[in-house]
Amino acid sequence: MKKLSGKVAVVTGASKGIGASIARHLAAEGAAVVVNYASSKTGADKVVAEIESAGGKAVAVQGDVAKKADIERLFAETQAAFGTLDILVNNAGIYEGEALGQITEANFHRQFNLNVLGLILTTQEALKYFGPEGGSIVNTSSIVSTLSPAGTAVYNATKAAVDNLSRTFAKELGAKKIRINSVNPGPIETEGTHSAGMVEPFQAFAAVTPLGRIGQPDDIAPAVVFLASPDSRWITGETLYVTGGLR
Ligand code: NAP
């Protein structure tokens, strides 16, 4: 018996990178998965096709999860496709590197609107769809929430906020049997970090990572499956660092 048979999961930002891997791993454990994306329809369709060809169930649903109307449509389409909701992975996020002198209202709002406000609005909307048995919410945070590297203060602050939201909402949602935790990856090679030119600079972290390399999306997804599954039934409000030992 697969760990997530009969469960329905929404993964935001699942057309590529860490989210795509999370979607594939949840489906491999039996969950029906909604593969959300903002603009990369081709990427999302490819993830769905991979899941289906492995015998799983998935649909792609477009929606900008920084926008309330899109979030409402995302869950309405989830219900239409699969009837309920058991697992929400708030993974969509953006990182824009800027030192103090380069921080603007625009780059502040772009990052906070998606990484923090979007996560709050998505969680709020999801509550309307979880059943009486509750469920699990996993937030993709980051090692930067506590490592606080120079040059990415706004992004670091969004992820510190995510950790705090996981702890706070765990207290608010426990009575509904909904658990909520953060997974905090270290540097990961993804489409996003490639296009931001970060993979080369990340190699400096490999040298000081006990396990000797930077991470891949498939290093993160099994931790999300664990937090989504009954194996973690007594865990809520936690931050799980998945970093090869880099802290
Ligand atoms: P990525 O390769 O850039 O992929 C981002 C995903 O998010 C894409 O599927 C993208 O969809 C989607 N997305 C972006 N804006 C969206 C929006 N407004 N609404 C819905 N979906 C949206 O990113 P990644 O590197 O995998 O990172 C994923 C998460 O992990 C983020 O929260 C990031 O902060 C966190 N993280 C990453 C690293 C790392 O080193 N990579 C480390 C720690 C934490 P479209 O392509 O359609 O826009």
Side-chain angles (χ1 to χ4, degrees):
M1 178 81 167
K2 294 179 173 176
K3 284 184 201 307
L4 303 176
S5 286
K7 303 294 183 192
V8 175
V10 169
V11 184
T12 68
S15 59
K16 57 172 84 127
I18 296 170
S21 179
I22 292 169
R24 285 190 290 261
H25 280 74
L26 291 172
E29 282 299 339
V33 180
V34 173
V35 175
N36 161 254
Y37 66 100
S39 58
S40 305
K41 182 175 187 316
T42 310
D45 287 344
K46 184 165 171 269
V47 174
V48 169
E50 286 164 356
I51 289 171
E52 287 177 341
S53 70
K57 278 194 224 165
V59 291
V61 177
Q62 191 280 334
D64 177 345
V65 293
K67 294 188 179 150
K68 196 168 166 51
D70 283 25
I71 293 167
E72 288 169 356
R73 186 171 46 72
L74 169 64
F75 288 102
E77 290 189 25
T78 298
Q79 187 167 50
F82 298 129
T84 186
L85 179 70
D86 305 285
I87 297 158
L88 167 65
V89 184
N90 284 312
N91 170 78
I94 43 170
Y95 26 85
E96 299 182 23
E98 58 279 303
L100 177 58
Q102 280 75 52
I103 296 171
T104 62
E105 288 175 82
N107 59 38
F108 175 91
H109 286 301
R110 266 196 306 274
Q111 291 174 90
F112 266 87
N113 280 354
L114 177 60
N115 300 7
V116 181
L117 179 58
L119 181 148
I120 292 170
L121 295 175
T122 304
T123 303
Q124 237 175 21
E125 187 64 17
L127 293 186
K128 300 176 187 167
Y129 293 88
F130 282 105
E133 289 311 307
S136 175
I137 300 172
V138 184
N139 295 326
T140 308
S141 180
S142 171
I143 190 175
V144 304
S145 69
T146 48
L147 191 68
S148 309
T152 53
V154 172
Y155 176 67
N156 300 350
T158 68
K159 294 304 186 179
V162 169
D163 290 352
N164 200 287
L165 292 172
S166 297
R167 287 194 293 274
T168 306
F169 292 157
K171 293 173 186 151
E172 296 185 15
L173 301 180
K176 295 180 192 291
K177 302 184 200 164
I178 297 171
R179 299 181 296 105
I180 177 163
N181 294 287
S182 292
V183 163
N184 298 47
I188 306 293
E189 183 176 7
T190 63
E191 288 89 332
T193 51
H194 266 292
S195 62
M198 291 159 72
V199 174
E200 191 59 38
F202 274 176
Q203 298 312 319
F205 287 109
V208 290
T209 295
L211 293 179
R213 60 174 174 82
I214 66 164
Q216 297 295 321
D218 287 352
D219 294 322
I220 305 305
V224 176
V225 171
F226 167 67
L227 288 172
S229 81
D231 287 348
S232 59
R233 62 190 168 274
W234 199 234
I235 301 176
T236 193
E238 290 294 344
T239 47
L240 176 57
Y241 283 74
V242 189
T243 64
L246 178 70
R247 284 296 293 268

